[in-house]
Amino acid sequence: MSAKKVGIVCGGFSSEFEISIQSGKTIFLNLDRKLWEVYLITIDASNWTAVDDHDNRFRVSKGDFSLNRENKQIKLDVIFNAVHGAPGENGQLAALWELLQIPFTSCDSYNAALTFNKRDCLSVLRDCKVPTAKHFSLDKGDAVDLNKILDVVGLPCFVKANRAGS
């Protein structure tokens, strides 16, 4: 029996690119080669590329997520999603993999998109009567009234972007 082909996808389009690369490389280096044929796939705004254990480089098709090099095409059996931020953590890649019917490690596209948007997620949770922490939302351009914020959430408190990391 041959080893299953796994793509470790890392990189992305956000400020979390470098930490995602570190996560992807750690996973790539530690998977058991007796069980897996492993490809490290790095995506950014202009290139989607893969590399194998022999430093062979492949172009990643955005149409079917196959790996292509010269006359060789590799179809992945499973994808390990190590992309922090967009497009991995927000559900965009999950939606593609769902359409292509490629199994992957992260949650489905709807739940990824919902939980990536903290404000939308809080609305859904509250509608389901799930207790949540006090929060105060600001939109870009809103005036910042520290007293009003402190009246609502108190101290200590922390600030998080709606669709990004802390």
Side-chain angles (χ1 to χ4, degrees):
M1 183 174 107
S2 63
K4 293 211 178 251
K5 296 168 182 67
V6 61
I8 311 302
V9 183
C10 60
F13 311 148
S14 76
S15 62
E16 298 177 84
F17 180 89
E18 290 300 329
I19 191 69
S20 175
I21 295 293
Q22 290 176 24
S23 296
K25 285 181 179 177
T26 299
I27 298 159
F28 178 80
L29 294 172
N30 287 287
L31 284 177
D32 186 343
R33 296 318 196 255
K34 293 176 192 150
L35 300 173
W36 302 102
E37 184 178 320
V38 184
Y39 298 88
L40 181 64
I41 299 170
T42 304
I43 63 171
D44 63 33
S46 59
N47 290 307
W48 292 19
T49 57
V51 64
D52 66 12
D53 283 325
H54 308 290
D55 209 30
N56 293 311
R57 302 218 174 266
F58 300 82
R59 181 182 50 81
V60 179
S61 168
K62 294 177 184 176
D64 66 3
F65 222 78
S66 63
L67 312 182
N68 300 280
R69 180 174 185 258
E70 297 163 2
N71 291 329
K72 184 176 185 179
Q73 182 182 56
I74 296 170
K75 296 281 190 176
L76 298 169
D77 295 305
V78 66
I79 294 170
F80 191 109
N81 183 5
V83 178
H84 302 264
E89 199 173 355
N90 66 1
Q92 292 171 320
L93 285 172
L96 173 63
W97 299 327
E98 289 166 356
L99 287 171
L100 297 171
Q101 298 181 333
I102 303 171
F104 56 94
T105 59
S106 55
C107 64
D108 64 61
S109 61
Y110 171 77
N111 286 299
L114 176 63
T115 57
F116 193 70
N117 185 316
K118 295 167 189 72
R119 187 180 297 176
D120 289 352
C121 189
L122 284 171
S123 293
V124 169
L125 292 173
R126 286 197 170 102
D127 284 350
C128 294
K129 308 293 186 236
V130 175
T132 62
K134 295 180 221 169
H135 79 285
F136 190 95
S137 297
L138 289 171
D139 291 315
K140 188 174 183 176
D142 285 354
V144 177
D145 182 339
L146 292 179
N147 290 325
K148 190 174 180 182
I149 294 169
L150 291 175
D151 286 345
V152 173
V153 298
L155 288 175
C157 67
F158 58 94
V159 176
K160 292 181 78 80
N162 189 47
R163 291 188 206 114
S166 301

